[in-house]
Every structure is written in structure tokens, then in C-alpha cells.
Amino acid sequence: MLLLSSDGSKTKTVVQKDAEFDVTYNDTVTSDNQTIYAFNHTVSRNKTEGVRVTVDVLSEGAESSPILFVVRQKQAVLSFQVPLILRGLYQRKYPYAHVGRTLCQPPTRSLTETQYFFVDVSTLSSLGTHYQLRISRVDSFTLHTDKKFSFTASPSQPQYFKYVFPDGVDTVIVKVNSEMTFPCSVMSIQDIQCPVYDLDNNVAFIGMYQTMTKTAAITVQRKDFPSNSFYVVVVVKTEDEACGGPLRFYPLRPDELIDAGNRSKTLDVVVSPAISSDVYVMGMLFCLGIFLSFYLLTFLVACVENKRSVDRPTVPGVTPVSPYEYGSFVTNKLTVSSLCLSERSLESVAGRSRQESLSSIEEDDYDTLADIDSDKNIVRTKKYLCVSDLARKDKRVLSKKYQIYFWNIATIGVFYALPVIQLVITYQTVVNVTGNQDICYYNFLCAHPLGNLSAFNNILSNLGYVMLGLLFLLIVLQRDVIHSRALDRNDLNALECGIPKHFGLFYAMGTALMMEGLLSACYHVCPNYTNFQFDTSFMYMIAGLCVLKLYQKRHPDINASAYTAYACLAAVIFFSVLGVVFGKGNMVFWIVFSVLHILATMLLSTQLYYMGRWRLDSGILRRIVYVIYTDCIRQCSGPMYIDRMVLLVMGNIVNWSLAAYGLLKTPNDFASYLLAIAICNLLLYFAFYIIMKLRSGERIQCMAMVCILFTAVVWGFALFFFFQGLSTWQKTPAESREHNRDCIVLSFFDDHDIWHFLSSIAMFGSFLVSEDFWRMAWCQEGQQLLSRKNIGTD
């Protein structure tokens, strides 16, 4: 017993006691006395055991004058008050009278060493406060590889354990699981140093951490921990809002203490070795092998088709053509005499008038049949249109017009990709520096790091888009060269037969596919809702370009210019950003978007039905009323263009239904909803394109049918893996991790990686179908070519 004088009038009694482990000490402390408990224990360099301090305050009203506990060790000091006050959102205060803390274990260099530590107990309360103190050993303080360990934690009783890397293991995955969704928890990986941050208000100060409900997983590399060991810290949060749980009511008074109730949680922890470097090599070789095989297959097909074209017999009066020239649809209705050879000579083609009227003119202005044949309003409003009617503009002008698509998308790609790459590198740097793994929505059970990248496998699997996009560009380049050579030698078949060939949109499609791979890889550097537009922007581009290409094949003169097309796609991306930022639960936004969606559908329908021969001006309403009166009221007449009307009615039904769904359901993932609109319209038009070919008497060649069926099957499997949903940024990071799954291929690729593989192959196949790559210039039965004058428009 020692008497200390503080101001000459008062003294404080300080009592030091020799204490033992696993003994419960019941005592009372006041402002006039202070108790010190002295402990000692033997530590070994080869064995680590934890020491845990457990404290209970038994007196009522202790919140006004809490007890302060200070644990003094050789290299660390731990202090905490009891009742422990933890703060939540909006300064809510939660008192905890039962507190348990694990002491930090400083390393020892000796084989064995006796270490001393002291527990000081004091308070400023003049009334006696009764408490219980117990110091105990934690025998299972060290985790072992592949051995599950169960424990219980709460906000005032956090737990942490030590793991030492075994020889030959450089990377491990720490998994924490629980059958309880709530209370919300945090798992942290911290270096072996004191102090250990194991409370809700400081666990994010150091190391890597994740919030969790039922599962959490962190990949840990030996190179990040010089001591070849680390602590696994598990903290239960005071509130569940961070994990998507409900938020408690506001307290009636600012300083009111709220009873948190029972927030204990039972958890399991297991540490498993991660994949070795050999698996990384196998994964990269597997990825390269799949897509290089398409290069080999394309080369073999090109060789076979070239040999067949050389060996193919020549029809008298018909110039042999390339197997890549005229289309994968042929007809049995024509004879050789019905070819375009007698329809228009080269001189008539070269001398065709290029002066076309831009608006309606009076009948009296026509002097000759040739004048009538050159006017847009006469040609494009014919009941039965042929491709020759919509392929009247100069080919060189159209070729340059469509080349602008390629140069524009290449420019857009450069200016879009550079800041994206810079941003995602910054994201990854922030994750690595702060350790906050809630920033990125990975599949943490199959996220293999490489260098500074946290999920290399998700990035590598996007290689298919780039490689197959490049392969498509090479195929288009080959066809472009073949066609240019045919034009140079004035080949009449190249000039007048088959679908008009303009390759600018094809180049743009291949470039868009490559950019999709690059930007999808950027998105997967750190996937979250703020950069999801990186993954979808060029998907909108691809869908739009495919629709434009299908339309341009039969309507080359009236297709949209590159500037108009990209301006519309930019508007789509603009609405995508607005939907992500403001669309969640905002009914005003959904009303505005649905109205704009329906108006755009109606305007586009009018444009397609009248082949661009209408004007949007102040007299549009008067003309609409007049058409309704003359065609519906005065006399009931059917539509002039029945096929187009059927397509547009179906398109309007689909788009109005999608608009109604969005307005009623207001889905949180607006970007995917917008992409679904684009894909539905693309599939609808593609189906119409095929049906109209068959209805017009054209026949699908065998190779084209194989390509279509193969692409459809691959799309089916791809969508199956896409909808597995391994993570979702529509929920909190902790809820997203409930969807995480283990790798399924080579212990390296997960379901979403398989989606990348299959969708890149399916897109490549779709491009080949839309490009009619599997081209056979000769009909097997009649050896006939298809003149543009005999090809109907779609």
C-alpha cells in the first residue's frame, strides 16, 4: 500500500496485487483508490498463445463515471473504459458493460522469455463501482492451414488470431463464414505489430478489411508481410446499416444511450493456400489457346474456300467470283438470262444521274421516265422496292461516308479509353493503399491477384474480345481487298450483283468489339456502380452498329450518317449515366425516360416506314390528322408496306412493353435495363431480316446455317453463366459477397470469366452472320447469281 499526495489535502491509495491467470477478481474501485494487477507468463519463440482480458461492471449507473482499464506491456499499452461507449451513425451511443480484449503479443527473439504486464484499474467516481476482472490464455490463438476454427464475437468483444505462412506457400485465402446474416461484421488483415485495431471505430485504420454478413474472403500474399505472418481480426459492428440492414430510430435526446441488445455472432475462419504460379501459366495458355484456335480455323476455312473457287467450273457468260462476294442467301427463281448483264450496262451505271431531289415536286415537272426514276419521293415510295432502288448514289461517296464510322469510333475509343485507364488505375491504387476492399465488387472466392491487380483472372478473360475483334478486322480487310481488286478490273458481278459492299461499318464493329474487351477489362480492375458504364458503353455501340449494318445492307442510300448515329449513341450513354446516378427509386426520372423512349420509338418507326421521306415540322399534326381521316375514316385502306408495318408494330409492342416495365418496376440496374432494350430491338430486327430473306425466296446456305445455329447455342450458354450473378453492386458490398462462388475451370476462372469467353465467341459469330462471311457465290442447283434488281429490301 502506497499513499500519494495530489494537492496537499487528498491522498489516493494505490494497491498492487500479484495476480494469476484464469482467476476471476471481484473488486471495487473509487476515486480514492487505484488497483494494479501484476501478471507474468512465459512465452516461447516457437509457440504463440494469446492473452485475453475480460471485464464486467456490476454496478448500476456506471455510464456517468466509467472505470478506466490500462494494460501496460513491454512494447504496448492498451486502454479502454467500461462501460465501453461505441458510436454509430448520427452520433448514436451504445454502452457495453461486458468487454473482452485480446492483448497484442510482442515478438520474442529468445527461445523462452518471461514477460510481465500490469492492469491498472481507476475511476473518477466518488462512489464505489464493483467490477470483475479475469485474465485467461487463448490456446487456439494461432490458425492452422485448412483447419476450420469457430468462435464468437460481439462489438465489445472482438477477436483476432495469428497466422504464419508455412514454407512453400506464398499466397493464402482467408475465409470467414457465418450462418447468421446479422449483426454486420468486419474482417481485417493486419500486420504483426502493436497496437491491434480491433474496435468498430478503428478497425479501418490499417491493413485490409471487408464488411460481411455471411461470408468474407481476402487473398493475402507473403510479400506484403515482412514477418511472414499476420493477424486475422473480426469485429462486429454496432449497427447493420453498412451491410444493408435496418437503421435504428433516432434517440429522443442527443446524449441518450441506446441499448444495443444481443449482438453476438458465431463465425468460422479457415485459411487455405491459394493457387500456385503453374495455375496462372495454365490459365493464360488456356485463354490464348481458345482464341488462337479461331485464327487457325479461319485460316483453314479460307484455304478450303480458295481451293474450291479455283476448282469451280466456269459458267459461260458469267465471270467467276470470289467465295466471299455475294451472300449466304441464294435463290432458285432466276436464270442466267435474268442476270443484270442485260439490265444495265457499265455505261448506264457510270452515266446515271447523281442529282436527286430532296423534296416532293409536281407531276408536271417530269418530262421523261428517267427523271421520275431519279426522284427520291417516287423511288422510295414504290410498293415493291429492290436493292437497286436504294443503291443509286455514287459508290465512292458512300464508301467514304461509311469509312467515317470507323475513324470516328477509333477516335472515340482513344479519347474514352485513356481517362478510363487512368481512373481504374487510381481505383486500384486507392484499394491497395487504404485496404478498403468494399470499394470493388469482386468475386472474392475466385479473385487471383497479379502484381497490383486484385482480380487478374477477370481481366485476362476479356482477351477474347480483343483477339476476335482483331480477327474480324482481318477478315473484313481481306474481303475489302478482294472487292477492290474486282472493281479495279471492272468486274460486272462486283459492280451490279449481290448486296452493295461498304466495309466502313464492319471496321467499326470490329473496333467496337476490341474496345469492349479493353473497357470490360478496365471495369474489372475495380468493378462498382460508378464505373459500370465502362463495361456497357461499347455494348450500346455494338448493338447500334449491328442494327445500322443490317439496315444498310439493303438500304445503303438512306442509312444514318456516322455523326448522327454516334450522336444518338452518345445520348443513350448520357441517359445511362443519369439512370445510374439519379434513377434509383426516382419516379420523375422514370416517367421522363419512358416518355422519351416511346417518342423515340414512334419517330424511328415513322422514319423507317416512309424510308425517310417525311418531315418533322409545324405541319406534322395536320398531316397526321389528314392521313387518319383519308385512310381510316373516309375509306378503310390497309397499309401500303405490309412487311414494314408488321415489323414496326412488333417493335412498338416490344418497346412500349419495356417502357411500361421500367415505369412499373423501376429496376435499380438501369444500365442493364437500357442494354436489354438495345439487345431486344437488335434481335427483333435480325429475326425480321432473316424472315424477309426466306419470304423473298432466298435460301440459307449450309455453312451460314451452321454459323447461325452455333452462334445461337453459344449465346444460350453464355447467358446462362451471365445470370449466375457472382456479385452485384446493386447491393452493399457485404450482401454482394453472399453471391461469391469458387472457381470452376482450372481453379482459375469463375462463372463470369466463362461468360467473357462465350460472349466474345458469340459476338464474333454474330458479326460473321451479319457480315455473311460464309459466302457461296454459286447455287448448288442452278449455278445462278443474284442481281441487285431482283433482291428485295427488308
Side-chain angles (χ1 to χ4, degrees), residues 331-443:
T331 181
N332 294 325
K333 294 183 178 179
L334 301 177
T335 61
V336 175
S337 61
S338 69
L339 293 177
C340 55
L341 303 178
S342 61
E343 291 289 338
R344 284 170 291 178
S345 63
L346 288 174
E347 290 77 16
S348 65
V349 173
R352 181 189 298 138
S353 172
R354 295 171 189 164
Q355 302 297 324
E356 299 175 326
S357 65
L358 298 178
S359 61
S360 262
I361 55 178
E362 298 296 330
E363 290 185 2
D364 295 340
D365 294 336
Y366 292 113
D367 295 329
T368 65
L369 185 62
D371 290 334
I372 297 176
D373 192 50
S374 65
D375 186 79
K376 293 181 182 179
N377 291 326
I378 299 299
V379 172
R380 297 182 187 175
T381 55
K382 290 163 56 178
K383 186 170 183 178
Y384 299 104
L385 281 171
C386 294
V387 169
S388 59
D389 296 319
L390 299 177
R392 309 171 66 84
K393 292 185 178 179
D394 188 276
K395 296 179 178 61
R396 293 170 298 176
V397 175
L398 286 179
S399 179
K400 291 182 178 179
K401 171 185 175 181
Y402 290 120
Q403 285 296 333
I404 297 176
Y405 275 95
F406 167 68
W407 291 112
N408 277 10
I409 201 169
T411 305
I412 292 170
V414 171
F415 280 92
Y416 193 88
L418 290 179
V420 167
I421 293 173
Q422 181 181 6
L423 180 62
V424 296
I425 290 175
T426 302
Y427 266 117
Q428 186 66 73
T429 302
V430 170
V431 172
N432 294 338
V433 171
T434 64
N436 182 3
Q437 298 206 353
D438 283 353
I439 296 176
C440 306
Y441 286 72
Y442 302 116
N443 174 20

Side-chain angles (χ1 to χ4, degrees), residues 644-655:
R644 267 180 262 165
M645 178 59 71
V646 171
L647 167 68
L648 296 175
V649 168
M650 294 179 61
N652 276 267
I653 291 174
V654 170
N655 282 277

Side-chain angles (χ1 to χ4, degrees), residues 647-669:
L647 167 68
L648 296 175
V649 168
M650 294 179 61
N652 276 267
I653 291 174
V654 170
N655 282 277
W656 283 58
S657 300
L658 289 170
Y661 173 82
L663 193 60
L664 295 175
K665 298 294 184 180
T666 62
N668 293 330
D669 189 357

